[in-house]
Amino acid sequence: MSGGVPVSAARRWLPHLGIAVIVLYCLAPFYWMVVSSFRRTSDIFDMSVLPSPWSLENYRAVFGGDTQFGRALLNSLVVAGATTVLTVVLGTIAGYALARLTFRFTNVVLAVVIATSMFPGISLLVPLLKLFTGIGWINTYQSMVVPNLSFALPLAIWYLTTFFRQLPFELEEAARVDGCTPGQAFRKVILPIAVPGVFTTAIIVFVVAWNEFIIALTMVNRPEMQTATVRISQFVGVAAYDSPFGTQMAAGVVATVPLVVAVLLFQRRIVAGLTSGGLK
C-alpha cells in the first residue's frame, strides 16, 4: 500500500478494463447470434454458452425451400455497391470543390448539405413512394439506391471536404508549375494522397447501405427484388405464429460475414483514413 504502487497500477489497468467491458458488451449480441444459429430448432431456447449438439439445420433452412436468400444477398450487394460508387464519385468531386473553391457562403452550403441528412428517413418515405409510383420505379434497384444516396452523400461530402482541407494547397501549386492542368493535378497528385479518406468513406457508406431496411421494405414488394435485411424479417416458421429464431440467426450471420471480412481486410486503410484528418 505504501509508495503509491497500487494506485499507479490501478491507473494503468483501469482503462484496459473499461475497454474490455465495452468490447464484451458490444460483442455479446453477436456472439449469441452465432451460437444460436448452430442450435437445433428444438434447442433454440437453451441458455448454454455453447450449442450441444452443434447443428447446421438453420443454415440449410436459410438457403433451402423458397426463401430466395441467395438472391436477396445479391440484391443487397448491387444496391450497396451502386450506392457506394455513386456516393464516392459525387462526394469526392463535391468535397474537393468545397475545400478548394473560395466564395462567400461556403460554410452555409456545408451546413445545408449536412442538414439534409438530419431529416428522419421515415418522413420522406410517403413522398418518395408517390414519386416512384408515378415514374414506374417501384420494385427496381434505383428505388433503393437513390434514397440511400440522398442520406449517404451529405455525410460523405462533409467528411471529404474536411479531409481535403487538411491537404496542403502547395501540392497543387507545384503540380501547376510542372505543367499540370487543375484536373490533372487533382487526378495525379491529390487523389492518390486522398485514398485513405476516400476508402474510409466508401466502407462506411457500404456498411450503412448494406444494413438499410425501411426504404427497401417500402419500395419493393416482389420477393426476387428484396434485399437481405428485408428477406430476413419475412422468414416464417414451420407452423402458424411460429417464429423462426434459429433461421433468422443463421441468416443474420451470413449477412454479417461480408461486412466483417471487408473490415478485417481493409482495417489498416480504415484506421489511416479516420486518423489522417487530424494530421498535418
Side-chain angles (χ1 to χ4, degrees), residues 57-70 231 235 247:
E57 172 187 336
N58 295 317
Y59 289 93
R60 287 192 292 266
V62 166
F63 293 101
D66 58 350
T67 61
Q68 300 189 36
F69 191 65
R231 202 70 197 130
F235 281 173
T247 308

Side-chain angles (χ1 to χ4, degrees), residues 3-262:
V5 176
V7 176
S8 177
R11 288 179 178 176
R12 185 171 62 252
W13 286 106
L14 276 178
H16 298 283
L17 179 61
I19 293 173
V21 171
I22 294 173
V23 170
L24 289 175
Y25 177 79
C26 293
L27 293 181
F30 297 99
Y31 168 78
W32 198 251
M33 179 178 67
V34 174
V35 169
S36 299
S37 69
F38 286 103
R39 298 189 195 277
R40 298 176 300 182
T41 302
S42 57
D43 301 328
I44 196 62
F45 293 107
D46 185 6
M47 300 300 293
S48 59
V49 177
L50 294 175
S52 180
W54 292 75
S55 173
L56 295 177
E57 172 187 336
N58 295 317
Y59 289 93
R60 287 192 292 266
V62 166
F63 293 101
D66 58 350
T67 61
Q68 300 189 36
F69 191 65
R71 176 60 186 267
L73 288 173
L74 178 60
N75 292 336
S76 290
L77 181 62
V78 171
V79 172
T83 302
T84 302
V85 171
L86 291 173
T87 299
V88 168
V89 172
L90 298 176
T92 300
I93 296 173
Y96 180 75
L98 288 172
R100 288 296 189 254
L101 296 180
T102 55
F103 54 93
R104 291 183 58 185
F105 302 107
T106 305
N107 292 331
V108 175
V109 172
L110 278 175
V112 172
V113 167
I114 198 63
T116 59
S117 66
M118 297 181 181
F119 290 97
I122 196 169
S123 66
L124 303 178
L125 287 180
V126 174
L128 285 176
L129 184 61
K130 180 176 176 57
L131 173 63
F132 292 164
T133 302
I135 62 178
W137 273 20
I138 299 300
N139 290 315
T140 62
Y141 287 128
Q142 58 265 32
S143 67
M144 295 178 280
V145 172
V146 172
N148 286 342
L149 193 65
S150 67
F151 295 113
L153 191 56
L155 295 176
I157 292 175
W158 180 272
Y159 176 76
L160 289 172
T161 299
T162 304
F163 182 83
F164 282 124
R165 283 178 174 175
Q166 302 296 326
L167 301 180
F169 187 69
E170 288 77 9
L171 293 173
E172 291 145 289
E173 291 180 337
R176 296 290 299 276
V177 170
D178 290 337
C180 289
T181 64
Q184 290 174 331
F186 174 66
R187 295 194 309 271
K188 297 181 180 181
V189 178
I190 299 301
L191 271 185
I193 301 175
V195 165
V198 174
F199 197 88
T200 302
T201 303
I203 289 293
I204 294 174
V205 171
F206 184 86
V207 170
V208 172
W210 180 274
N211 291 328
E212 198 282 320
F213 175 76
I214 190 65
I215 293 173
L217 177 66
T218 305
M219 302 301 172
V220 173
N221 52 43
R222 288 166 49 189
E224 63 271 17
M225 291 297 297
Q226 290 174 338
T227 58
T229 53
V230 175
R231 202 70 197 130
I232 291 173
S233 70
Q234 297 182 352
F235 281 173
V236 296
V238 177
Y241 307 109
D242 179 20
S243 298
F245 293 116
T247 308
Q248 290 175 337
M249 294 290 188
V253 171
V254 174
T256 305
V257 165
L259 304 182
V260 174
V261 171

